[in-house]
Amino acid sequence: MQHPDSEAQDNSAKSELAYHRRIVEVEKGAFTPLVMSTVGTFGPEMTRVIQRAAGLISKRKSANYGETVAVIRQKLRFGILRSTLMTLRGSMMDSPVADP
């Protein structure tokens, strides 16, 4: 069995190789995959993005860096969980409302 972190790194490398050439040639831009595993670990680029964002936010708001990282990770995980649940069960807003 492969460790989740190494799995995320492998998937990140595959994604980056698959899209990098097209993005550079066609879109004239850059591509950075933000990879998360199913057990909640982050790929290397995702970790750097979180660290950079936490650094900027903690400096701007004079907050604790470690707590800021934890809040960002928590918000990401719950956001993904929410979107997954909505995909699996459907949105309550999409269901028709019966007239009384």
Side-chain angles (χ1 to χ4, degrees):
M1 184 172 159
Q2 194 174 22
H3 191 272
D5 288 337
S6 63
E7 181 181 338
Q9 289 175 357
D10 290 346
N11 289 338
S12 176
K14 288 177 186 176
S15 295
E16 193 166 355
L17 288 174
Y19 292 107
H20 182 72
R21 174 181 253 166
R22 185 183 74 82
I23 295 297
V24 170
E25 291 177 2
V26 176
E27 305 288 335
K28 307 288 189 236
F31 174 74
T32 302
L34 301 178
V35 178
M36 286 182 65
S37 72
T38 56
V39 295
T41 59
F42 298 105
E45 289 89 0
M46 183 75 152
T47 301
R48 284 194 290 272
V49 167
I50 291 171
Q51 290 171 345
R52 174 76 172 142
L56 293 173
I57 292 169
S58 64
K59 182 186 276 188
R60 186 181 65 204
K61 294 187 175 185
S62 299
N64 182 315
Y65 174 78
E67 291 174 4
T68 306
V69 169
V71 168
I72 291 172
R73 287 179 178 163
Q74 180 183 22
K75 286 183 181 256
L76 283 169
R77 287 179 177 132
F78 276 100
I80 291 170
L81 178 63
R82 178 182 292 142
S83 65
T84 301
L85 289 174
M86 287 182 68
T87 300
L88 292 174
R89 69 177 174 107
S91 174
M92 297 296 250
M93 309 269 301
D94 292 341
S95 60
V97 177
D99 292 328

